[in-house]
Amino acid sequence: MSQRIYVGNLPYEARESEVEELFSEHGEVISVALPTDRETGRARGFGFVEMPDEDATKAISALDGTTFQGRRLNVDAAPPRGRGGGGGGF
């Protein structure tokens, strides 16, 4: 099984390859996604990394609160997909 990791406070200039390199020091990286703003095309300052469960746990512990390109990262397990956004479930 794999786990998605939320990576917050990323520098806007960060590239997927750089984030992949950072996380690969702690295990296998399955994928990296850095969302961009629809209107400006600019990075939004956060992203998601997918890793096998055991590697994800190690990466979260090792990288949360560390500095990457001058910014202090917030690294945590991402909530399951489909659980975001508004609206009540009546």
Side-chain angles (χ1 to χ4, degrees), residues 53-75:
D53 287 337
E54 190 174 308
D55 294 342
T57 301
K58 287 190 272 185
I60 291 168
S61 295
L63 295 173
D64 186 39
T66 61
T67 302
F68 176 67
Q69 297 181 1
R71 305 220 28 196
R72 187 167 183 232
L73 297 179
N74 299 318
V75 182

Side-chain angles (χ1 to χ4, degrees), residues 1-6 48 76-85:
M1 294 284 294
S2 65
Q3 182 175 344
R4 282 179 30 140
I5 302 168
Y6 169 79
F48 297 95
D76 202 356
R81 288 186 175 148
R83 295 187 131 232

Side-chain angles (χ1 to χ4, degrees), residues 3-79:
Q3 182 175 344
R4 282 179 30 140
I5 302 168
Y6 169 79
V7 187
N9 204 34
L10 280 169
Y12 294 109
E13 305 80 26
R15 296 188 179 341
E16 288 182 0
S17 60
E18 296 167 328
V19 174
E20 181 176 358
E21 184 177 329
L22 176 68
F23 277 79
S24 68
E25 295 174 17
H26 305 283
E28 176 192 355
V29 174
I30 297 168
S31 67
V32 176
L34 304 181
T36 56
D37 183 274
R38 288 181 187 153
E39 293 180 20
T40 65
R42 189 175 140 180
R44 295 176 63 193
F46 69 92
F48 297 95
V49 177
E50 185 177 359
M51 300 178 79
D53 287 337
E54 190 174 308
D55 294 342
T57 301
K58 287 190 272 185
I60 291 168
S61 295
L63 295 173
D64 186 39
T66 61
T67 302
F68 176 67
Q69 297 181 1
R71 305 220 28 196
R72 187 167 183 232
L73 297 179
N74 299 318
V75 182
D76 202 356

